[in-house]
Amino acid sequence: LSSYWYSSTPQEEETQESQEERAEQVRRRRLAQFDQGSVPQNASPEVGQPETFADSTDNNADVALTTTDNNDADAITTTNNPNTVAVEQKAQVIGSAIVKPMRPDTTQWQDNPWSDASTPHTQRAVDPAVAVSHVISRIFNVTLSTAAQPPSQPRFQTMLLDTAVSSELLSLDILDQVLFERLSMSAPELAECQVECGEARCPSFEPLIITYLLNCVRKCDEEMRRSKLHQETVLGCRDAAVRMMGIVLLSNDSWEPQDPAQQLVECLISTEHTFSEFNSTNNIKVLEELLAQDSISEDDLRTMMNPVVRCLIRKTTMCNLNTSPLNFSILTTLNILVANKIIAKMVPELEGWKPDNPDDGAAYQNTLIGRFLSCSTMRHGLPAGARYTSPYFNRGSAVNPDITRHSQSQYQQMIDRLQTLLSKFIYLLVKSPAKEEMLHWLARCLDANRNKAKLVASFLSTGSASDGFMLNLAGVLLKLSTPFLGPSNPRLSTVDVRFCGPESCALFPQPGEDKILDKIEEVQVSKEDLLSLGKPDQFNFISTCFYLTHRSLQLAYVSPFDKYRRLMKSLMETQRLVEDVGGNPMSAEIRERFEAQYIEQLEVKTHLLHPDIVSHALLFYSSSANWLSLISISHDSPTVPDMKKKPTLPALPSKCLAMVPSYFISAMCQFLINVRHFAEASLENFLSDNLDHLITFLVMFCNKTWVPNPHTRAEIVEAVTVFIPNDRSAVSTSNREAALRSNGIAKGGLGGALISVFVDIEHSAPFDHKFQYRYHIFEILQYIWPKSSFNLPRLTFEVKGREEDTTVLFTKFIKLLMNDANFLLDEALHNLEEIKKIQTLQENSEEWGNLDETARQSKLKSLADLKRMCTSHNILAYETVNCLRYMTTRGQGMSSACHRSVTYAFVTPLLVDTLVTMLNYYLKELVGASRTKYRVRNLEEVKFKPGELLQSIVAIYINLRHEDSFISAIPRDGRSYHESLFSETVSKLQRLNVNHDVIEELMQVSKLAEDKLTSQHDEEALADLAPSQYLDPILGTLMVDPVMLPASNVVVDRSVIAKHLLSDPIDPFNRQPLTMADVVPQEELKEEIAGWMREQLQLLRSGEASSSS
């Protein structure tokens, strides 16, 4: 049998054949005379069942079954076995070498020369050949004689009749023959040939070939531990057993009806048996020795292990988390096998490696790797409304929360162990000749599941793999990435940005995929430019693993986080219903719905929010953030020269960003946002240095020059909010706050980036989305504005960015801010008025009763919609007005010059009237007679806080009271201003118990406005007397600061044209492009108008004085 079998010379073979032929003739003749020697087959111990010993004194389970301690002999019943007697009588007839038919008393072995050296009663020298025979007999549980043997020998042994014809003693020379005869015996033959020999306890004979050989190896190890005598013999026995195992597996089909390959697999993955012969750990070591033998040829190894691997693959169909011990055993065995490159090369060729349809994402779940990846607590593929019994948390909320958390922890440990073993399996294949097949499987699997990146995937159960599958795949790839993780890890510098470049990598055939620099105007990057960077012959594994992990994280977390968010919302709504219905007959149904949702959220939470996986993903993204920051300033180098370099903010980024997929940024931002909502502790406990790299990346890539897409930059802004505190924070944010405050890039560039995003999303984002985006900007501005370290007031006069002066950008920001406040407050008040109407109708039982059921339902639906919209508008309106408040407030540590530079932007001629008109109108609505229209039931339900809103508006008046242009604009508003406006406001503030100092300051504003009202009447009279060349041609008002438009040569007032250019940058008279930098000041005309106004005012006032006198 191949290269393992005992080889003999032709002469020896002929001699042996002659001896066997003569022995067979003698055997048949003498057996014919032994016609009464039939053996009852049920007389021996039951086949395959070990004897039970209650008095074992050996604590080692591996040794307990074969102990040779004579003190244990008393525990064994020594009745004569009919089987033994019959076989001994047969042996007397067959061979003269068998001299003792009956077992003697134990005492006679004290002086017996056959006594084993390990027996404590040995007094004479032992024949070495006899001692070797005893050792072999004890290990393999076979004998060639029914003669008396030492008590250390097993009580039951198998008589080898064929070998006994030619040999009296067992030896290493005939061991292959002995084993072949023993393994060739069927179960009935084994039962017939059982004889009683020694007194040592032992299990019954083992009919299964592989189990028997593994047990023999185990006994060899025990012999080695127990005694240093005969170690050469024991090692020879061990080698023979392992060698014979290889012979058996090599001729697997020749041992029918037994299947040695399946037997080996059962022994390797066994998790139920506690007997030492089923110890899978020891058996794994035997498998390693078998694979390590140098004499095995490649063809023989493939032949030997092919059925073993196939059997293991069949076993994977039973995988789930509740069979984790089995999963671990299978994976451990597979890892031992694929560590051999020959077997690793064979694995992708077997059935079960590839999916039936490579383009179907769900089909990957039924592959060898996919079956392990599918092990999750998360359910998948259930039709809507289907009843489901969870195999993990079936008792729901009835279980003590501590017990539930313990169960979650156990399942998370199983998931972690599974991912560790599977990552090792993949790594071994990558390091083998099967590398291309393994990487191809990963890439095709991710590409087939590309729809998982869309939110709609969370509503679909077909065409894509399960959420648990994708989470496990991401976890496995994260573990493979571990060696190069860490923001400053030098291995990360070997990641090649060209991996996703044009025509670079066949693993990612994704034409049309968005890149970070796809649409930027300043960095014109062509395909030829990118190809000029070159292409390596082969990308290293770190680059491959880096991009595969990014892709898997993008696909893994979109759907389950969306599902978990919806699930938590439904759970809270159902919980409120449970509390509301009380003893209502509907309560049982609602309670059942609550339990189902509670169990499902436990299933999702256990896997999705696995703390180790979340922390590992944060480390990966922190490392990626530093790599992206450095590659963007790499001066067109495809790799990062030094990962410890401090990033800076150059004027333009490297064109290498044109090869980086945009989902690198969006997936990272969404992950940070979701972790902040659902696993904030993991984020807060993250190392400060790692947080610093994340903040640097977010601020750098919030720059319009680097990421032109406003939507992506808005996502980055939302991600920045995870570093600031808010009312929703369940844990401390001190670690994150400290990282943000100490980050140099953030202190220098965050404020400008926020204002730039605020302005850019005005026309690029969907209307509903822009308010949500701006809400996050308000959150960050409110946190950083008072902090002098961020120097935000400098934004109003420093030149940064591209061609624009930031004064213009800041002015646009304030104008849009006021527009938002106007719109949101107006919508909120309008919705409150409509809600009031429907609630008034409901209170009138007669009118409400006159409506038919359809009309009532329509009204109720409208009421619910109005409440929803009103709530959103009120929240956003308050944040917008609050932003105006704190931006006009002089913060602690802010110099008067800085404060003046900020407030000036609010009261420039082109903005001041808009601001004042808005403030006056909403002040009148909140304190005037019309306020009763907004008194709906339960103001808190729609988040309407008129008192807080009023105080914010009053604060803006007070903050700007020192600006003359602001005070002048208050009475100029003829729509809302009247003399009693501020007195009504003071009365309302007094009812709210507002600080007296605030009321005094507001009364100052009122007096200043009244004084301005008098002077404005005089100026209005002048407009009727002014020459036409002093009047603005657009509005017909008296010009204060005339300027000429160079394209049309028309003279207009500066404030009028500035307002026009904010919304339409063209000359209104000839439609030519125009900016404020183009206009020509008319200083002489300005002085002329000012002199004329002074003269006319003196005449006007002197005339009034004469008239009054």
Side-chain angles (χ1 to χ4, degrees):
L1 294 173
S2 190
S3 58
Y4 296 101
W5 189 238
Y6 163 85
S7 59
S8 306
T9 62
Q11 183 177 358
E12 288 175 339
E13 291 177 357
E14 183 179 359
T15 304
Q16 182 178 346
E17 183 178 356
S18 303
Q19 290 177 350
E20 290 178 355
E21 185 177 357
R22 289 194 300 273
E24 183 63 22
Q25 293 174 357
V26 174
R27 175 190 175 97
R28 291 175 180 174
R29 185 170 63 253
R30 295 187 178 180
L31 279 176
Q33 300 171 5
F34 194 73
D35 53 351
Q36 300 299 321
S38 60
V39 182
Q41 295 186 8
N42 295 327
S44 64
E46 184 178 352
V47 175
Q49 295 297 322
E51 295 187 35
T52 303
F53 307 102
D55 62 339
S56 174
T57 59
D58 194 337
N59 291 329
N60 188 336
D62 291 344
V63 182
L65 296 178
T66 57
T67 179
T68 59
D69 191 346
N70 288 337
N71 294 332
D72 293 334
D74 296 338
I76 305 175
T77 304
T78 57
T79 55
N80 291 334
N81 189 321
N83 265 13
T84 305
V85 175
V87 173
E88 287 173 348
Q89 291 172 353
K90 274 191 178 184
Q92 284 183 319
V93 178
I94 294 173
S96 58
I98 302 176
V99 294
K100 296 199 176 185
M102 299 299 294
R103 293 177 56 224
D105 293 335
T106 305
T107 56
Q108 80 178 65
W109 291 104
Q110 295 180 4
D111 299 322
N112 194 294
W114 280 17
S115 179
D116 187 71
S118 62
T119 305
H121 303 291
T122 301
Q123 296 181 1
R124 294 187 182 180
V126 180
D127 183 349
V130 174
V132 167
S133 180
H134 289 172
V135 171
I136 296 174
S137 177
R138 187 162 58 245
I139 290 172
F140 293 101
N141 212 22
V142 295
T143 184
L144 301 182
S145 170
T146 57
Q149 296 186 25
S152 61
Q153 295 299 96
R155 179 180 177 184
F156 295 102
Q157 292 186 334
T158 301
M159 180 69 183
L160 301 180
L161 300 178
D162 290 345
T163 306
V165 173
S166 57
S167 301
E168 296 182 2
L169 298 175
L170 295 168
S171 67
L172 294 178
D173 294 337
I174 63 169
L175 193 51
D176 286 340
Q177 178 184 348
V178 168
L179 286 176
F180 192 76
E181 180 179 354
R182 167 61 180 82
L183 298 180
S184 300
M185 299 174 73
S186 63
E189 291 173 337
L190 286 169
E192 286 184 3
C193 295
Q194 293 300 297
V195 296
E196 284 192 79
C197 297
E199 297 181 358
R201 294 173 304 171
C202 66
S204 64
F205 64 88
E206 175 55 65
L208 300 179
I209 296 173
I210 298 298
T211 306
Y212 167 76
L213 290 172
L214 288 172
N215 195 34
C216 293
V217 173
R218 176 190 57 79
K219 287 193 284 187
C220 289
D221 295 337
E222 292 172 2
E223 290 280 348
M224 295 290 290
R225 289 196 300 268
R226 186 166 52 240
S227 173
K228 294 185 178 180
L229 298 175
H230 310 298
Q231 288 200 3
E232 185 177 347
T233 301
V234 175
L235 288 174
C237 292
R238 198 180 193 286
D239 292 343
V242 174
R243 186 171 64 249
M244 184 56 67
M245 194 182 306
I247 294 171
V248 170
L249 292 172
L250 191 59
S251 55
N252 190 71
D253 296 338
S254 303
W255 299 91
E256 293 182 354
Q258 295 198 45
D259 187 344
Q262 183 172 351
Q263 292 173 21
L264 177 61
V265 168
E266 295 292 345
C267 292
L268 292 171
I269 68 174
S270 174
T271 59
E272 298 178 0
H273 300 284
T274 58
F275 304 113
S276 54
E277 61 264 37
F278 293 102
N279 189 313
S280 58
T281 303
N282 292 337
N283 296 340
I284 287 291
K285 294 179 181 178
V286 176
L287 177 62
E288 291 176 327
E289 294 176 21
L290 179 61
L291 296 175
Q293 294 193 32
D294 297 332
S295 57
I296 307 177
S297 68
E298 179 176 343
D299 291 340
D300 285 347
L301 186 61
R302 290 176 65 91
T303 304
M304 184 192 307
M305 288 299 150
N306 187 288
V308 174
V309 177
R310 289 180 182 275
C311 185
L312 281 169
I313 293 175
R314 289 194 298 269
K315 291 287 184 182
T316 60
T317 57
M318 300 181 290
C319 288
N320 61 66
L321 272 189
N322 282 330
T323 62
S324 286
L326 175 64
N327 305 342
F328 302 157
S329 298
I330 294 175
L331 272 174
T332 301
T333 305
L334 284 171
N335 288 341
I336 297 299
L337 291 170
V338 298
N340 184 291
K341 294 184 178 181
I342 298 172
I343 300 175
K345 185 179 179 181
M346 176 181 68
V347 169
E349 302 170 0
L350 299 177
E351 184 180 358
W353 174 262
K354 296 180 181 179
D356 296 333
N357 180 4
D359 297 324
D360 181 8
Y364 286 83
Q365 297 175 126
N366 198 35
T367 61
L368 169 61
I369 297 176
R371 290 166 185 163
F372 293 109
L373 292 175
S374 299
C375 294
S376 171
T377 55
M378 300 173 69
R379 64 187 71 173
H380 177 68
L382 289 178
R387 298 184 67 86
Y388 174 75
T389 301
S390 172
Y392 309 109
F393 304 101
N394 59 344
R395 294 179 59 194
S397 61
V399 180
N400 183 292
D402 291 336
I403 297 176
T404 299
R405 283 190 289 272
H406 178 69
S407 298
Q408 287 180 292
S409 177
Q410 285 185 317
Y411 286 123
Q412 287 169 347
Q413 290 174 14
M414 294 177 187
I415 291 170
D416 186 69
R417 176 80 189 284
L418 183 72
Q419 291 178 1
T420 300
L421 290 171
L422 196 52
S423 65
K424 182 179 180 181
F425 176 74
I426 293 174
Y427 179 77
L428 289 170
L429 288 177
V430 168
K431 291 298 181 181
S432 76
K435 175 182 178 179
E436 293 302 321
E437 289 80 359
M438 184 68 256
L439 294 180
H440 184 75
W441 189 97
L442 292 170
R444 288 301 301 270
C445 176
L446 292 172
D447 187 57
N449 286 285
R450 58 187 175 274
N451 286 334
K452 298 289 285 185
K454 303 174 183 177
L455 282 178
V456 69
S458 60
F459 299 94
L460 303 175
S461 59
T462 57
S464 297
S466 66
D467 291 338
F469 176 100
M470 298 306 298
L471 287 171
N472 276 327
L473 180 56
V476 167
L477 288 170
L478 282 172
K479 289 185 180 296
L480 288 172
S481 304
T482 301
F484 61 83
L485 291 191
S488 301
N489 193 323
R491 293 183 180 180
L492 196 61
S493 65
T494 63
V495 174
D496 197 322
V497 74
R498 295 170 295 180
F499 189 88
C500 279
E503 303 177 7
S504 288
C505 185
L507 283 177
F508 285 88
Q510 299 167 6
E513 183 181 60
D514 289 340
K515 308 293 183 182
I516 293 177
L517 290 184
D518 265 353
K519 301 174 183 178
I520 196 165
E521 298 174 0
E522 289 78 1
V523 185
Q524 296 291 340
V525 183
S526 65
K527 181 178 178 180
E528 289 71 21
D529 292 333
L530 299 180
L531 291 175
S532 67
L533 295 175
K535 174 186 174 183
D537 296 333
Q538 185 176 11
F539 289 100
N540 58 45
F541 178 66
I542 291 180
S543 296
T544 304
C545 189
F546 180 80
Y547 281 87
L548 286 173
T549 307
H550 264 291
R551 185 65 167 162
S552 69
L553 287 171
Q554 180 210 13
L555 302 179
Y557 281 102
V558 172
S559 173
F561 268 130
D562 178 65
K563 181 184 294 183
Y564 189 67
R565 184 180 293 105
R566 289 186 286 105
L567 194 57
M568 292 299 292
K569 182 179 179 181
S570 300
L571 186 61
M572 288 188 289
E573 292 174 353
T574 307
Q575 187 173 11
R576 283 195 293 267
L577 283 175
V578 171
E579 295 169 354
D580 292 342
V581 296
N584 190 292
M586 292 286 292
S587 61
E589 180 183 345
I590 297 174
R591 181 73 191 181
E592 183 180 353
R593 188 197 316 165
F594 170 80
E595 287 296 326
Q597 292 173 345
Y598 178 77
I599 291 172
E600 187 174 2
Q601 74 89 18
L602 283 178
E603 294 173 336
V604 176
K605 180 181 180 181
T606 300
H607 198 164
L608 176 63
L609 303 181
H610 189 309
D612 292 341
I613 300 177
V614 170
S615 298
H616 210 155
L618 284 172
L619 178 60
F620 178 84
Y621 276 135
S622 175
S623 305
S624 298
N626 194 39
W627 180 83
L628 282 166
S629 300
L630 293 175
I631 200 69
S632 63
I633 58 173
S634 64
H635 303 293
D636 302 333
S637 170
T639 58
V640 176
D642 182 10
M643 290 302 301
K644 295 183 179 181
K645 182 180 179 180
K646 286 291 184 181
T648 56
L649 202 60
L652 293 175
S654 165
K655 63 185 178 184
C656 290
L657 286 183
M659 290 185 282
V660 179
S662 60
Y663 69 76
F664 274 34
I665 298 177
S666 58
M668 187 187 307
C669 292
Q670 287 302 315
F671 184 80
L672 290 173
I673 294 165
N674 285 313
V675 169
R676 192 261 185 89
H677 288 314
F678 304 120
E680 194 168 13
S682 297
L683 196 58
E684 180 63 17
N685 297 331
F686 205 40
L687 292 177
S688 298
D689 289 345
N690 294 336
L691 291 174
D692 184 70
H693 290 293
L694 284 170
I695 294 169
T696 298
F697 160 76
L698 292 173
V699 176
M700 288 178 67
F701 282 78
C702 200
N703 191 312
K704 183 177 182 178
T705 308
W706 294 33
V707 179
N709 188 328
H711 175 79
T712 303
R713 285 188 289 137
E715 285 185 321
I716 294 174
V717 169
E718 187 176 359
V720 175
T721 62
V722 307
F723 298 95
I724 62 174
N726 65 22
D727 297 336
R728 301 183 300 276
S729 295
V731 299
S732 169
T733 58
S734 58
N735 187 34
R736 285 168 282 164
E737 289 183 70
L740 181 63
R741 289 196 302 267
S742 62
N743 186 279
I745 298 288
K747 288 190 288 188
L750 179 56
L754 293 174
I755 291 173
S756 176
V757 173
F758 190 100
V759 172
D760 289 343
I761 62 176
E762 174 65 22
H763 301 294
S764 58
F767 185 76
D768 294 338
H769 288 184
K770 76 174 182 178
F771 293 111
Q772 189 63 37
Y773 292 155
R774 287 173 176 172
Y775 177 82
H776 300 304
I777 295 175
F778 294 149
E779 284 187 289
I780 303 171
L781 281 176
Q782 183 173 6
Y783 175 75
I784 67 175
W785 190 266
K787 295 174 173 52
S788 59
S789 60
F790 286 90
N791 273 331
L792 287 176
R794 293 165 54 193
L795 290 169
T796 59
F797 56 83
E798 283 195 355
V799 177
K800 290 185 180 293
R802 301 186 293 153
E803 301 171 353
E804 296 177 332
D805 186 301
T806 50
T807 303
V808 177
L809 180 65
F810 194 68
T811 303
K812 288 181 179 179
F813 164 71
I814 295 173
K815 184 176 186 295
L816 293 173
L817 194 62
M818 292 188 296
N819 290 345
D820 285 356
N822 252 326
F823 170 80
L824 294 167
L825 284 170
D826 189 62
E827 287 293 308
L829 294 180
H830 173 73
N831 290 335
L832 285 169
E833 189 175 356
E834 293 300 315
I835 292 171
K836 176 72 173 176
K837 290 178 182 179
I838 297 177
Q839 289 179 344
T840 303
L841 180 62
Q842 287 179 307
E843 292 170 356
N844 189 326
S845 57
E846 182 178 351
E847 290 187 24
W848 184 257
N850 290 335
L851 298 176
D852 58 29
E853 183 62 25
T854 303
R856 284 197 294 270
Q857 290 299 323
S858 177
K859 291 288 184 183
L860 291 174
K861 184 178 182 303
S862 298
L863 180 62
D865 292 339
L866 286 168
K867 286 182 178 180
R868 178 179 54 79
M869 291 187 295
C870 188
T871 300
S872 175
H873 288 143
N874 277 323
I875 292 172
L876 294 171
Y878 178 78
E879 290 296 331
T880 307
V881 174
N882 193 43
C883 182
L884 290 169
R885 177 193 61 76
Y886 62 70
M887 291 187 77
T888 56
T889 302
R890 181 176 176 181
Q892 185 177 5
M894 183 185 293
S895 67
S896 59
C898 287
H899 182 241
R900 179 70 178 84
S901 68
V902 174
T903 55
Y904 175 77
F906 284 87
V907 296
T908 54
L910 64 159
L911 293 180
V912 66
D913 288 331
T914 305
L915 175 62
V916 168
T917 301
M918 179 190 74
L919 294 176
N920 287 349
Y921 174 75
Y922 291 109
L923 192 63
K924 182 195 73 170
E925 291 297 303
L926 291 172
V927 302
S930 59
R931 68 181 184 275
T932 57
K933 298 185 298 184
Y934 313 124
R935 291 178 180 171
V936 301
R937 294 196 299 267
N938 194 358
L939 292 176
E940 179 60 29
E941 182 183 7
V942 292
K943 305 298 181 185
F944 183 50
K945 303 173 183 178
E948 293 183 19
L949 185 60
L950 175 63
Q951 292 181 63
S952 292
I953 292 175
V954 168
I956 298 172
Y957 279 106
I958 294 172
N959 292 339
L960 299 176
R961 70 186 186 278
H962 300 298
E963 300 290 345
D964 185 71
S965 59
F966 176 75
I967 296 297
S968 299
I970 293 176
R972 197 161 57 233
D973 172 28
R975 175 191 178 195
S976 304
Y977 176 77
H978 53 86
E979 294 181 357
S980 62
L981 177 62
F982 288 106
S983 60
E984 292 173 355
T985 304
V986 168
S987 299
K988 181 67 175 177
L989 292 175
Q990 289 173 338
R991 289 195 297 272
L992 292 173
N993 295 320
V994 175
N995 188 290
H996 181 70
D997 293 341
V998 173
I999 294 175
E1000 286 292 329
E1001 290 171 337
L1002 183 63
M1003 291 176 67
Q1004 293 177 20
V1005 174
S1006 176
K1007 186 177 184 312
L1008 291 171
E1010 290 174 2
D1011 294 342
K1012 285 292 182 183
L1013 180 61
T1014 303
S1015 62
Q1016 284 176 8
H1017 288 322
D1018 295 339
E1019 293 176 2
E1020 289 173 2
L1022 291 180
D1024 296 333
L1025 303 174
S1028 59
Q1029 64 269 25
Y1030 293 171
L1031 299 178
D1032 177 79
I1034 297 177
L1035 297 182
T1037 56
L1038 189 63
M1039 292 187 291
V1040 178
D1041 187 5
V1043 294
M1044 178 183 289
L1045 309 183
S1048 60
N1049 293 324
V1050 177
V1051 177
V1052 297
D1053 192 64
R1054 180 183 292 272
S1055 63
V1056 175
I1057 192 61
K1059 289 180 182 178
H1060 169 79
L1061 294 179
L1062 277 175
S1063 56
D1064 193 6
I1066 60 173
D1067 188 323
F1069 298 98
N1070 61 8
R1071 313 302 292 172
Q1072 296 297 314
L1074 180 67
T1075 66
M1076 285 302 297
D1078 298 329
V1079 300
V1080 181
Q1082 302 294 300
E1083 297 295 339
E1084 292 183 4
L1085 181 59
K1086 180 179 179 180
E1087 290 297 328
E1088 183 180 334
I1089 293 173
W1092 181 85
M1093 289 180 63
R1094 286 192 299 270
E1095 179 183 343
Q1096 293 301 315
L1097 282 173
Q1098 289 177 357
L1099 292 173
L1100 184 62
R1101 287 168 183 167
S1102 62
E1104 289 178 354
S1106 301
S1107 174
S1108 62
S1109 64

